[in-house]
PDB file of all heavy atoms in Angstrom:
ATOM      1  N   LEU A 522     -19.929  54.659 -34.584  1.00 92.00           N
ATOM      2  CA  LEU A 522     -19.162  55.765 -33.996  1.00 92.00           C
ATOM      3  C   LEU A 522     -17.659  55.536 -34.128  1.00 92.00           C
ATOM      4  O   LEU A 522     -16.897  56.480 -34.352  1.00 92.00           O
ATOM      5  CB  LEU A 522     -19.534  55.950 -32.525  1.00 92.00           C
ATOM      6  CG  LEU A 522     -20.833  56.692 -32.247  1.00 92.00           C
ATOM      7  CD1 LEU A 522     -21.193  56.613 -30.774  1.00 92.00           C
ATOM      8  CD2 LEU A 522     -20.720  58.151 -32.687  1.00 92.00           C
ATOM      9  N   ALA A 523     -17.238  54.287 -33.992  1.00 93.00           N
ATOM     10  CA  ALA A 523     -15.816  53.987 -34.194  1.00 93.00           C
ATOM     11  C   ALA A 523     -15.417  54.284 -35.635  1.00 93.00           C
ATOM     12  O   ALA A 523     -14.368  54.889 -35.897  1.00 93.00           O
ATOM     13  CB  ALA A 523     -15.536  52.528 -33.845  1.00 93.00           C
ATOM     14  N   ALA A 524     -16.274  53.870 -36.589  1.00 94.00           N
ATOM     15  CA  ALA A 524     -15.996  54.151 -38.002  1.00 94.00           C
ATOM     16  C   ALA A 524     -16.029  55.646 -38.275  1.00 94.00           C
ATOM     17  O   ALA A 524     -15.162  56.186 -38.973  1.00 94.00           O
ATOM     18  CB  ALA A 524     -17.024  53.426 -38.884  1.00 94.00           C
ATOM     19  N   GLY A 525     -17.031  56.345 -37.719  1.00 95.00           N
ATOM     20  CA  GLY A 525     -17.134  57.786 -37.912  1.00 95.00           C
ATOM     21  C   GLY A 525     -15.941  58.530 -37.338  1.00 95.00           C
ATOM     22  O   GLY A 525     -15.501  59.543 -37.889  1.00 95.00           O
ATOM     23  N   SER A 526     -15.403  58.027 -36.228  1.00 96.00           N
ATOM     24  CA  SER A 526     -14.230  58.654 -35.621  1.00 96.00           C
ATOM     25  C   SER A 526     -13.004  58.530 -36.522  1.00 96.00           C
ATOM     26  O   SER A 526     -12.217  59.477 -36.652  1.00 96.00           O
ATOM     27  CB  SER A 526     -13.939  58.003 -34.267  1.00 96.00           C
ATOM     28  OG  SER A 526     -15.016  58.155 -33.387  1.00 96.00           O
ATOM     29  N   LEU A 527     -12.835  57.362 -37.145  1.00 96.00           N
ATOM     30  CA  LEU A 527     -11.716  57.178 -38.068  1.00 96.00           C
ATOM     31  C   LEU A 527     -11.851  58.115 -39.270  1.00 96.00           C
ATOM     32  O   LEU A 527     -10.862  58.694 -39.732  1.00 96.00           O
ATOM     33  CB  LEU A 527     -11.647  55.723 -38.531  1.00 96.00           C
ATOM     34  CG  LEU A 527     -11.268  54.692 -37.470  1.00 96.00           C
ATOM     35  CD1 LEU A 527     -11.404  53.279 -38.024  1.00 96.00           C
ATOM     36  CD2 LEU A 527      -9.851  54.925 -36.980  1.00 96.00           C
ATOM     37  N   LEU A 528     -13.071  58.262 -39.775  1.00 97.00           N
ATOM     38  CA  LEU A 528     -13.294  59.167 -40.909  1.00 97.00           C
ATOM     39  C   LEU A 528     -13.015  60.612 -40.511  1.00 97.00           C
ATOM     40  O   LEU A 528     -12.368  61.361 -41.257  1.00 97.00           O
ATOM     41  CB  LEU A 528     -14.732  59.028 -41.409  1.00 97.00           C
ATOM     42  CG  LEU A 528     -15.091  57.710 -42.090  1.00 97.00           C
ATOM     43  CD1 LEU A 528     -16.588  57.625 -42.334  1.00 97.00           C
ATOM     44  CD2 LEU A 528     -14.324  57.549 -43.401  1.00 97.00           C
ATOM     45  N   ALA A 529     -13.496  61.015 -39.332  1.00 97.00           N
ATOM     46  CA  ALA A 529     -13.268  62.382 -38.868  1.00 97.00           C
ATOM     47  C   ALA A 529     -11.783  62.643 -38.659  1.00 97.00           C
ATOM     48  O   ALA A 529     -11.262  63.710 -39.013  1.00 97.00           O
ATOM     49  CB  ALA A 529     -14.043  62.636 -37.574  1.00 97.00           C
ATOM     50  N   ALA A 530     -11.085  61.669 -38.074  1.00 95.00           N
ATOM     51  CA  ALA A 530      -9.645  61.823 -37.881  1.00 95.00           C
ATOM     52  C   ALA A 530      -8.927  61.948 -39.220  1.00 95.00           C
ATOM     53  O   ALA A 530      -7.963  62.704 -39.354  1.00 95.00           O
ATOM     54  CB  ALA A 530      -9.103  60.626 -37.097  1.00 95.00           C
ATOM     55  N   SER A 531      -9.400  61.203 -40.235  1.00 96.00           N
ATOM     56  CA  SER A 531      -8.796  61.287 -41.570  1.00 96.00           C
ATOM     57  C   SER A 531      -8.991  62.675 -42.170  1.00 96.00           C
ATOM     58  O   SER A 531      -8.081  63.219 -42.807  1.00 96.00           O
ATOM     59  CB  SER A 531      -9.426  60.242 -42.497  1.00 96.00           C
ATOM     60  OG  SER A 531      -9.325  58.955 -41.956  1.00 96.00           O
ATOM     61  N   LEU A 532     -10.185  63.250 -41.989  1.00 96.00           N
ATOM     62  CA  LEU A 532     -10.437  64.605 -42.480  1.00 96.00           C
ATOM     63  C   LEU A 532      -9.519  65.594 -41.780  1.00 96.00           C
ATOM     64  O   LEU A 532      -8.986  66.527 -42.400  1.00 96.00           O
ATOM     65  CB  LEU A 532     -11.902  64.981 -42.253  1.00 96.00           C
ATOM     66  CG  LEU A 532     -12.934  64.218 -43.079  1.00 96.00           C
ATOM     67  CD1 LEU A 532     -14.351  64.599 -42.639  1.00 96.00           C
ATOM     68  CD2 LEU A 532     -12.753  64.501 -44.573  1.00 96.00           C
ATOM     69  N   PHE A 533      -9.332  65.395 -40.486  1.00 94.00           N
ATOM     70  CA  PHE A 533      -8.429  66.254 -39.717  1.00 94.00           C
ATOM     71  C   PHE A 533      -6.997  66.136 -40.239  1.00 94.00           C
ATOM     72  O   PHE A 533      -6.304  67.142 -40.438  1.00 94.00           O
ATOM     73  CB  PHE A 533      -8.485  65.873 -38.236  1.00 94.00           C
ATOM     74  CG  PHE A 533      -7.484  66.597 -37.381  1.00 94.00           C
ATOM     75  CD1 PHE A 533      -7.785  67.834 -36.834  1.00 94.00           C
ATOM     76  CD2 PHE A 533      -6.239  66.041 -37.125  1.00 94.00           C
ATOM     77  CE1 PHE A 533      -6.864  68.507 -36.049  1.00 94.00           C
ATOM     78  CE2 PHE A 533      -5.307  66.707 -36.345  1.00 94.00           C
ATOM     79  CZ  PHE A 533      -5.620  67.940 -35.804  1.00 94.00           C
ATOM     80  N   GLN A 534      -6.544  64.904 -40.432  1.00 92.00           N
ATOM     81  CA  GLN A 534      -5.187  64.678 -40.944  1.00 92.00           C
ATOM     82  C   GLN A 534      -4.995  65.379 -42.283  1.00 92.00           C
ATOM     83  O   GLN A 534      -3.977  66.055 -42.510  1.00 92.00           O
ATOM     84  CB  GLN A 534      -4.924  63.181 -41.104  1.00 92.00           C
ATOM     85  CG  GLN A 534      -4.901  62.401 -39.814  1.00 92.00           C
ATOM     86  CD  GLN A 534      -4.889  60.908 -40.063  1.00 92.00           C
ATOM     87  OE1 GLN A 534      -5.028  60.445 -41.192  1.00 92.00           O
ATOM     88  NE2 GLN A 534      -4.725  60.140 -39.015  1.00 92.00           N
ATOM     89  N   HIS A 535      -5.964  65.200 -43.154  1.00 94.00           N
ATOM     90  CA  HIS A 535      -5.875  65.773 -44.503  1.00 94.00           C
ATOM     91  C   HIS A 535      -5.824  67.296 -44.440  1.00 94.00           C
ATOM     92  O   HIS A 535      -5.004  67.930 -45.115  1.00 94.00           O
ATOM     93  CB  HIS A 535      -7.073  65.308 -45.324  1.00 94.00           C
ATOM     94  CG  HIS A 535      -7.103  65.835 -46.722  1.00 94.00           C
ATOM     95  ND1 HIS A 535      -6.142  65.526 -47.668  1.00 94.00           N
ATOM     96  CD2 HIS A 535      -7.981  66.662 -47.350  1.00 94.00           C
ATOM     97  CE1 HIS A 535      -6.420  66.124 -48.804  1.00 94.00           C
ATOM     98  NE2 HIS A 535      -7.530  66.829 -48.631  1.00 94.00           N
ATOM     99  N   ALA A 536      -6.692  67.888 -43.619  1.00 94.00           N
ATOM    100  CA  ALA A 536      -6.761  69.352 -43.532  1.00 94.00           C
ATOM    101  C   ALA A 536      -5.529  69.959 -42.869  1.00 94.00           C
ATOM    102  O   ALA A 536      -5.137  71.078 -43.194  1.00 94.00           O
ATOM    103  CB  ALA A 536      -8.021  69.758 -42.776  1.00 94.00           C
ATOM    104  N   SER A 537      -4.923  69.217 -41.950  1.00 90.00           N
ATOM    105  CA  SER A 537      -3.755  69.737 -41.229  1.00 90.00           C
ATOM    106  C   SER A 537      -2.443  69.374 -41.901  1.00 90.00           C
ATOM    107  O   SER A 537      -1.369  69.758 -41.437  1.00 90.00           O
ATOM    108  CB  SER A 537      -3.752  69.208 -39.788  1.00 90.00           C
ATOM    109  OG  SER A 537      -3.645  67.790 -39.763  1.00 90.00           O
ATOM    110  N   GLY A 538      -2.508  68.632 -43.014  1.00 89.00           N
ATOM    111  CA  GLY A 538      -1.299  68.257 -43.737  1.00 89.00           C
ATOM    112  C   GLY A 538      -0.495  67.170 -43.057  1.00 89.00           C
ATOM    113  O   GLY A 538       0.702  67.037 -43.304  1.00 89.00           O
ATOM    114  N   LYS A 539      -1.127  66.374 -42.197  1.00 85.00           N
ATOM    115  CA  LYS A 539      -0.425  65.320 -41.472  1.00 85.00           C
ATOM    116  C   LYS A 539      -1.055  63.964 -41.753  1.00 85.00           C
ATOM    117  O   LYS A 539      -1.339  63.184 -40.843  1.00 85.00           O
ATOM    118  CB  LYS A 539      -0.436  65.623 -39.964  1.00 85.00           C
ATOM    119  CG  LYS A 539       0.214  66.946 -39.606  1.00 85.00           C
ATOM    120  CD  LYS A 539       0.160  67.209 -38.123  1.00 85.00           C
ATOM    121  CE  LYS A 539       0.799  68.550 -37.773  1.00 85.00           C
ATOM    122  NZ  LYS A 539       2.229  68.588 -38.108  1.00 85.00           N
ATOM    123  N   ARG A 540      -1.290  63.680 -42.999  1.00 86.00           N
ATOM    124  CA  ARG A 540      -2.001  62.480 -43.408  1.00 86.00           C
ATOM    125  C   ARG A 540      -1.211  61.220 -43.115  1.00 86.00           C
ATOM    126  O   ARG A 540      -0.009  61.140 -43.345  1.00 86.00           O
ATOM    127  CB  ARG A 540      -2.301  62.579 -44.905  1.00 86.00           C
ATOM    128  CG  ARG A 540      -3.039  61.388 -45.475  1.00 86.00           C
ATOM    129  CD  ARG A 540      -3.262  61.570 -46.969  1.00 86.00           C
ATOM    130  NE  ARG A 540      -3.742  60.350 -47.588  1.00 86.00           N
ATOM    131  CZ  ARG A 540      -3.841  60.173 -48.888  1.00 86.00           C
ATOM    132  NH1 ARG A 540      -3.501  61.148 -49.704  1.00 86.00           N
ATOM    133  NH2 ARG A 540      -4.289  59.048 -49.381  1.00 86.00           N
TER     134      ARG A 540
END
Side-chain angles (χ1 to χ4, degrees):
L522 281 171
S526 300
L527 292 173
L528 291 171
S531 305
L532 292 174
F533 174 87
Q534 294 170 353
H535 180 64
S537 62
K539 301 179 181 297
R540 180 181 169 190

